[in-house]
Amino acid sequence: MQFRNIWLILAVLTLFLTSACARPPQLNGTVFDTPVAAYDIAGTNYDGTPFRLSDTRGKITMVFFGYTFCPDVCPFTLADLKQVSEKLGDKASAFAVVFITVDPERDTLDKMKPYVQAFNPAFYGVRMEGEALEAAKTTFGIYAAKSEVQTGSSASYFVDHTAALYVIDRAGNLRETLPYDAGPEQILSDVEYWLQAG
């Protein structure tokens, strides 16, 4: 009887450990219960070539809206994504970063090119204007508005904007949003999960 109880305990323990291992890891953002086809953003990459979001199919793609004059959140986020890309090693070829400017008035391609390349030349730096930009912002739920500031004798502005990261899977579906303060380790963990999920 005692021998049978030991086997029962071992069987339950094995079942528990197996089911625990099978569960997906805790992701660090908000996951979409149902995958949603990502809006196919169309613009111009920092090198002057046409860009479409669908060009990144087959990769896990991170989309981030910002601008080059951003004093903090944008450079910090792109620096985090640079670390993620480096830590992925050989898997970095299956990872894409798309940085979209919400300030096309100042972010010319000449301005975008050195800015994006300073983080990683493989990252996309996409510029759109007018209705194309507004459609992308609306579809992704991006808020962006100028905030005027006075610097010395000349007027300037910042752009208050949504700073979330959008994770798109290999099939082009929006799967998760990560908060702006997600660190490189959290981002890396989620990217590796989606890479494995396919």
Side-chain angles (χ1 to χ4, degrees):
M1 186 69 173
Q2 192 173 14
F3 181 73
R4 185 178 297 175
N5 286 342
I6 290 171
W7 275 109
L8 181 61
I9 291 169
L10 286 173
V12 170
L13 185 60
T14 301
L15 180 63
F16 172 78
L17 290 173
T18 303
S19 62
C21 292
R23 282 198 296 262
Q26 180 66 42
L27 293 170
N28 296 291
T30 302
V31 179
F32 289 81
D33 291 333
T34 303
V36 179
Y39 175 72
D40 194 13
I41 294 164
T44 305
N45 191 32
Y46 72 78
D47 60 2
T49 59
F51 170 85
R52 295 196 77 94
L53 186 59
S54 54
D55 295 341
T56 67
R57 290 277 173 88
K59 299 182 179 184
I60 299 302
T61 302
M62 197 76 70
V63 174
F64 176 66
F65 289 79
Y67 66 114
T68 68
F69 287 83
C70 179
D72 40 38
V73 173
C74 301
F76 293 158
T77 300
L78 288 170
D80 286 347
L81 292 171
K82 175 185 178 180
Q83 285 188 54
V84 170
S85 184
E86 290 170 349
K87 290 180 178 179
L88 282 170
D90 294 340
K91 292 181 285 185
S93 60
F95 174 62
V97 171
V98 179
F99 171 68
I100 300 167
T101 180
V102 293
D103 186 20
E105 182 179 330
R106 293 182 296 185
D107 284 346
T108 63
L109 295 182
D110 286 342
K111 179 68 178 174
M112 295 276 284
K113 184 173 183 177
Y115 184 82
V116 175
Q117 287 184 326
F119 295 101
N120 188 327
F123 290 179
Y124 295 94
V126 180
R127 185 177 183 276
M128 297 177 285
E129 294 183 273
E131 292 181 2
L133 178 57
E134 291 306 312
K137 285 162 52 181
T138 299
T139 306
F140 278 84
I142 299 296
Y143 168 82
K146 288 184 181 180
S147 176
E148 301 290 339
V149 294
Q150 195 70 29
T151 56
S153 58
S154 62
S156 185
Y157 63 90
F158 293 121
V159 180
D160 298 325
H161 64 94
T162 305
L165 289 164
Y166 298 83
V167 183
I168 297 169
D169 67 16
R170 296 178 191 267
N173 296 312
L174 188 59
R175 302 303 298 266
E176 179 187 10
T177 60
L178 281 156
Y180 76 92
D181 57 352
E185 294 302 326
Q186 291 178 309
I187 298 170
L188 176 64
S189 173
D190 286 18
V191 169
E192 287 183 325
Y193 170 77
W194 292 116
L195 282 170
Q196 189 173 18

